[in-house]
Amino acid sequence: EQNQGHFILQWGYEVRQRLFNSVDQAMGPSSSGLLKSLIFGDRTELNESTETAFRRSGVMHVLAVSGLHLGILIGLFFGIFRALRISFTGTYLLLVPIVLVYLVLVGFKLSLVRASMMLGFAALGWMIAERGWILRRWVDPLQGLSLAALIILIWTPAALFDVSFQLSFGATAGILLALELFGPKLNIWRSRLEHGWNASGSAFKKRAAKLAYGFAIFLLISLAAQIAVTPILGLQFDELHLTALLANVVVVPLATLAIWVSVAFLIFAQILAELSLYIAQL
């Protein structure tokens, strides 16, 4: 209130408030509260019945910004940059400032710091590998996750007992291990499926094969994350949600779509207000 905070965090606060004003002007209270929760993790204006529904369904993590949200955001811009035929090195270099801006806007939450560190290590590894200094197979996400954990624990040892630290690293480790163990088998299954359906010459079957593989990967990731965090949830909250896996299969894709459209709305709200109103309706 006295303008004595750190100037970077002060800038992030001012921009966040400006974005919140854009949301409030374009949407009703229930929609604006949900969007602020999805993008910024701000649940102060979230409808109580909505929050209760998310909690009882076991998908409350969707409303708490984490590595999932950062991954969804990165996926959007990664797809855009690659569609523009920008190299992997160029894509990673462009993603880094986007991630840093998001961190400042949302706040340096532990799960976001972990995900950002992993992105940084992956970007560094890919850039070194593209120059031929190391082999690409040496870029190991598990080592990046371990290094991020070590850096956070050296800086803040008490983070080990923080629930968000345990859930964030537990879920990510579960996902990475599942992809390492079952990813190659899914690739073999996809190759056989595509080979069989390509022989029929049907364009529909070719697309169906890709969709089936994408759904299998998503199901694997959801199941791995749920299994990995189940002991932590039981220990910390004394309750487990048996509906969580099914609910995640439905909610996470919808949340991904909502976040992507919301990002487009927030950008256009600053440059083309009239167009942003149409996007807000979506």
Side-chain angles (χ1 to χ4, degrees):
E1 293 180 356
Q2 301 174 4
N3 293 323
Q4 293 180 343
H6 193 282
F7 72 96
I8 294 179
L9 298 181
Q10 177 73 17
W11 174 83
Y13 172 80
E14 292 172 356
V15 173
R16 185 167 64 250
Q17 292 305 120
R18 189 159 65 245
L19 294 175
F20 281 5
N21 290 334
S22 299
V23 173
D24 291 335
Q25 292 172 9
M27 301 180 185
S30 60
S31 298
S32 63
L34 184 57
L35 189 151
K36 292 174 185 177
S37 299
L38 280 173
I39 302 291
F40 301 99
D42 187 327
R43 299 201 296 272
T44 55
E45 300 177 23
L46 186 64
N47 184 288
E48 185 176 348
S49 61
T50 302
E51 185 172 353
T52 301
F54 272 82
R55 182 179 292 109
R56 289 179 176 175
S57 303
V59 291
M60 191 63 188
H61 63 91
V62 174
L63 300 181
V65 290
S66 63
L68 170 67
H69 297 72
L70 188 62
I72 291 172
L73 188 70
I74 289 172
L76 172 63
F77 288 101
F78 186 89
I80 293 173
F81 295 149
R82 291 300 293 159
L84 295 174
R85 300 185 181 279
I86 299 174
S87 67
F88 275 108
T89 299
T91 297
Y92 278 122
L93 289 175
L94 290 171
L95 285 175
V96 168
I98 292 175
V99 170
L100 290 176
V101 169
Y102 185 62
L103 275 174
V104 173
L105 289 178
V106 176
F108 291 84
K109 300 180 185 298
L110 199 61
S111 56
L112 290 179
V113 171
R114 183 268 308 161
S116 302
M117 283 184 175
M118 283 196 64
L119 173 67
F121 298 145
L124 180 62
W126 270 106
M127 287 189 288
I128 293 175
E130 279 202 335
R131 281 163 174 74
W133 297 346
I134 63 172
L135 297 176
R136 287 192 178 183
R137 59 185 174 87
W138 290 0
V139 183
D140 185 358
L142 275 173
Q143 291 192 25
L145 179 68
S146 302
L147 185 56
L150 283 172
I151 292 174
I152 290 174
L153 290 174
I154 289 172
W155 185 263
T156 311
L160 180 64
F161 305 100
D162 187 84
V163 178
S164 64
F165 178 91
Q166 296 173 5
L167 292 175
S168 178
F169 280 90
T172 307
I175 291 170
L176 293 177
L177 287 169
L179 289 175
E180 184 176 317
L181 290 171
F182 300 105
K185 296 179 180 179
L186 284 177
N187 281 325
I188 294 173
W189 172 74
R190 181 188 64 173
S191 299
R192 291 176 177 174
L193 190 64
E194 288 182 348
H195 178 73
W197 285 359
N198 283 340
S200 66
S202 172
F204 172 77
K205 287 186 176 181
K206 292 177 184 178
R207 292 180 181 274
K210 292 181 179 180
L211 287 174
Y213 174 74
F215 180 75
I217 287 290
F218 171 71
L219 198 60
L220 174 65
I221 289 174
S222 297
L223 183 61
Q226 288 295 321
I227 292 174
V229 301
T230 292
I232 301 171
L233 291 172
L235 177 66
Q236 297 286 0
F237 302 107
D238 297 322
E239 63 179 10
L240 298 174
H241 300 278
L242 300 179
T243 60
L245 178 60
L246 180 60
N248 273 284
V249 172
V250 177
V251 171
V252 172
L254 289 175
T256 300
L257 183 61
I259 289 173
W260 286 353
V261 175
S262 299
V263 169
F265 160 74
L266 292 172
I267 292 173
F268 281 105
Q270 312 309 311
I271 53 178
L272 291 172
E274 293 183 1
L275 178 59
S276 70
L277 293 177
Y278 292 102
I279 300 175
Q281 297 304 313
L282 295 175

